[in-house]
Amino acid sequence: MSDTDGRQQEQHELQVVRIGHANGSSSDNPSLDTTPKLSKRNSSERSLPLRSYSKWSPVEQGATLVWRDLCVYTNVGSGRGMKRIINNSTGAVQPGSLMALMGASGSGKTTLMSTLGYRQPAGTVVQGDILINGRRVGPFMHRISGYVYQDDLFIGALTVLEHLNFMAHLRLDRRVSSEERRLIIKELLERTGLLSASHTRIGSGDDEKVLSGGERKRLAFAVELLNNPVILFCDEPTTGLDSYSAQQLVATLHELAQKGTTILCTIHQPSSQLFDNFNNVMLLADGRVAFTGSPQHALSFFADHGYYCPEAYNPADFLIGVLATDPGYEQASQRSAQHLCDQFAVSSAAKQRDMLVNLEIHMAQSGNFPYDTELDSFRGVAWYKRFHVVWLRATLTLLRDPTIQWMRFLQKMAMAFIIGACFAGTTELTQLGVQAVQGTLFIMISENTYHPMYSVLNVFPQGFPLFMRETRSGLYSTAQYYVANILAMLPGMIIEPLLFVVICYWLTGLRATFYAFSITAICVVLVMNVATACGCFFSTAFNSVPLAMAYLVPLDYIIMITSGIFIKISSLPAAFYWTQFISWMLYANEAMTIAQWSGVENITCFGESADLPCFHTGQDVLDKYSFEESNLYRNLLAIVGIYFGFHVLGYYFLWRRARKI
């Protein structure tokens, strides 16, 4: 680089610093510098390192986020096309700044912030430039930035410490040692005031000992601060908090900003004290920028255009009220708000903002420096460790939720005793015993089909919001999430039917051979697992449990009718002959019937007649139901094939839904 180029670059660097300080403490004209005095926090000067354009390093130099002529469109659905939410927005946030996005409901605050953080919903169309330190935003934003959502989503069965530990394993560099990870978590617990609640379960609101609303919000902040983000986005962080908790939370944000973190948050109706804590505010009206600058200068700008804030009135409420749409006066309200947007667009404050934005974009276009040096230094967690963390979390959830696992165990054992008591002493080698044996087998199959199938319909819909949030952040993939949840349920899906068979089989007095018992146990285990797989498929294929049940019930009837009990399979109509091939109840019934009657030669018959023939051997029973002894292992393989088929479909529909939303 020549001396001339070096001097030019140095001038650019110094210019950015001067503009940055001016942007934080000036407004649309120089005369405003002597108007309302800034609070101590707003007027504090921050000593920031000179911005260098020789390399891309937001961790070292802080994050400067700029956007120019930004338009955001969302799909309104029902074939009505796209709706513009953000209209030609331009702005900038520099390191050490705490900026608030404010506006009336529907002004586009959340949409703008999610777009800047590269977390916009699928199907959103973005036009314009968004750069962080001269680089266009992309998937890397999930790692260098934090995003605190308005609604806190957690797994209630976990404790605060467990949740942070799981998140640390997924978010931190894999080279971070266990001791370093423990110290990071301890420091975050101390900073967020959660150290005393570290072993408290997060809860879902129905438990007695759970985190309060403020503690849940602080836990959400602690998770986002794990990887020490250079820029932090907060969506309505004070919503649902009392005034003291809100003040403490904003004070924490201000401390982070003083250390060089760039912070952008949406906020709704802050108190006067909270409003004064922000270095800068951006006011939005119908997707347009109505003002950008300090809170005090916002009041001056509005006063210059005829909107005076009364004394002893919350300035935030006043500013939002001016830009809000009054019911019954929609057009007049919109015209006045758009007039303020037009006035700010030609103000000197907007010109200063544009200078910084244009400089950043110019240096990005003319600069030649490696972008990925800092990104490449990060080493993510190996895929199998991510899978292990997701599986362990799902397993803890199952073990700690009695409605999912333990109550099902107790119910299954009770049903085994009831079935055993009803059929005890009836399964003899007589004509009546044949009917009792077949009835017992059908009850064992149906008991392990319908209840497990319907009990898992809510598993994936219930966790879908958290799954979407974490997969978008790159914590794990859809395949890891799906397989981990299935494997977490698998031990229960093996132990539960085995205990059921052990109790029910011997109480009913079925064939007392190890071979018959083993085949029966294997079939019942496979039946419960394939029924669960079917339930998982329907839970991922449909958006709600009632809709999934509406489509599942007809399938249940098909599977039950073709089970071999109600109709002879060989007599099925040609149009419905194919239905037998998807009925795992038929495959299980045939295999279990073969195990019970194969080799039996001495079935007692009293008073045989032409109208009521007797079963003399086990083969007669198999012939009655169109069962063939050679189909035993084919049936077992068919059930296994249906099991994997349902899970493949379940994963596909979960992956498809994740892409659409």
Side-chain angles (χ1 to χ4, degrees), residues 71-90:
C71 294
V72 181
Y73 301 84
T74 60
N75 192 347
V76 295
S78 302
R80 291 181 291 175
M82 306 295 289
K83 178 183 178 181
R84 183 168 61 183
I85 306 298
I86 302 300
N87 184 4
N88 290 316
S89 173
T90 299

Side-chain angles (χ1 to χ4, degrees), residues 67-384:
W67 60 100
R68 183 177 67 179
D69 299 333
L70 183 65
C71 294
V72 181
Y73 301 84
T74 60
N75 192 347
V76 295
S78 302
R80 291 181 291 175
M82 306 295 289
K83 178 183 178 181
R84 183 168 61 183
I85 306 298
I86 302 300
N87 184 4
N88 290 316
S89 173
T90 299
V93 191
Q94 292 186 288
S97 296
L98 177 57
M99 174 179 279
L101 290 178
M102 297 176 56
S105 298
S107 59
K109 304 184 298 295
T110 299
T111 300
L112 176 59
M113 192 173 69
S114 63
T115 304
L116 296 177
Y118 200 75
R119 290 168 172 86
Q120 66 271 18
T124 302
V125 177
V126 180
Q127 296 177 347
D129 301 310
I130 309 175
L131 296 91
I132 180 167
N133 285 25
R135 178 177 185 172
R136 291 189 180 276
V137 296
F140 66 89
M141 289 291 291
H142 292 287
R143 203 180 71 245
I144 69 170
S145 67
Y147 199 102
V148 181
Y149 292 85
Q150 179 179 354
D151 51 332
D152 306 318
L153 297 178
F154 300 107
I155 296 178
L158 302 180
T159 66
V160 171
L161 185 60
E162 288 170 343
H163 179 70
L164 282 175
N165 193 38
F166 285 138
M167 290 296 104
H169 277 85
L170 294 173
R171 289 173 176 261
L172 296 180
D173 194 293
R174 64 188 179 196
R175 292 168 293 187
V176 175
S177 65
S178 299
E179 182 63 21
E180 291 174 328
R181 191 184 304 112
R182 187 186 65 82
L183 292 176
I184 291 173
I185 293 174
K186 182 180 179 181
E187 180 187 359
L188 283 175
L189 289 172
E190 293 175 348
R191 288 174 59 186
T192 54
L194 292 173
L195 190 60
S196 60
S198 59
H199 296 288
T200 302
R201 290 193 184 182
I202 300 172
S204 58
D206 299 329
D207 304 326
E208 295 181 359
K209 296 182 179 180
V210 297
L211 296 183
S212 64
E215 289 172 329
R216 291 170 66 91
K217 186 66 68 175
R218 280 182 277 162
L219 178 58
F221 271 96
V223 171
E224 297 303 322
L225 295 178
L226 273 170
N227 56 345
N228 194 22
V230 297
I231 182 169
L232 184 63
F233 301 92
C234 306
D235 188 9
E236 302 281 2
T238 60
T239 299
L241 303 182
D242 58 77
S243 58
Y244 177 77
S245 298
Q247 182 64 35
Q248 292 297 107
L249 192 147
V250 175
T252 302
L253 290 177
H254 194 275
E255 292 175 3
L256 288 172
Q258 286 184 317
K259 295 178 182 179
T261 304
T262 305
I263 302 178
L264 184 67
C265 64
T266 64
I267 194 164
H268 186 66
Q269 292 183 329
S271 64
S272 301
Q273 189 176 6
L274 287 183
F275 185 65
D276 190 53
N277 283 336
F278 292 96
N279 307 118
N280 291 285
V281 295
M282 173 176 282
L283 300 174
L284 297 177
D286 196 22
R288 295 185 62 191
V289 178
F291 179 81
T292 300
S294 69
Q296 288 76 11
H297 295 152
L299 295 174
S300 300
F301 173 79
F302 275 60
D304 290 343
H305 293 87
Y307 300 95
Y308 298 93
C309 180
E311 294 185 5
Y313 194 87
N314 187 340
D317 290 341
F318 169 75
L319 295 174
I320 295 175
V322 171
L323 300 175
T325 300
D326 294 333
Y329 303 92
E330 288 83 0
Q331 294 184 354
S333 301
Q334 292 173 358
R335 283 197 298 267
S336 62
Q338 294 303 315
H339 175 72
L340 284 173
C341 295
D342 295 336
Q343 291 298 316
F344 177 75
V346 297
S347 66
S348 59
K351 294 177 182 177
Q352 288 182 349
R353 174 205 63 188
D354 293 341
M355 287 176 60
L356 174 60
V357 173
N358 293 332
L359 175 63
E360 286 288 321
I361 295 177
H362 170 72
M363 295 304 295
Q365 294 173 347
S366 60
N368 183 19
F369 50 89
Y371 281 120
D372 297 325
T373 303
E374 186 170 292
L375 294 177
D376 290 342
S377 64
F378 182 83
R379 295 291 181 268
V381 181
W383 68 269
Y384 59 89

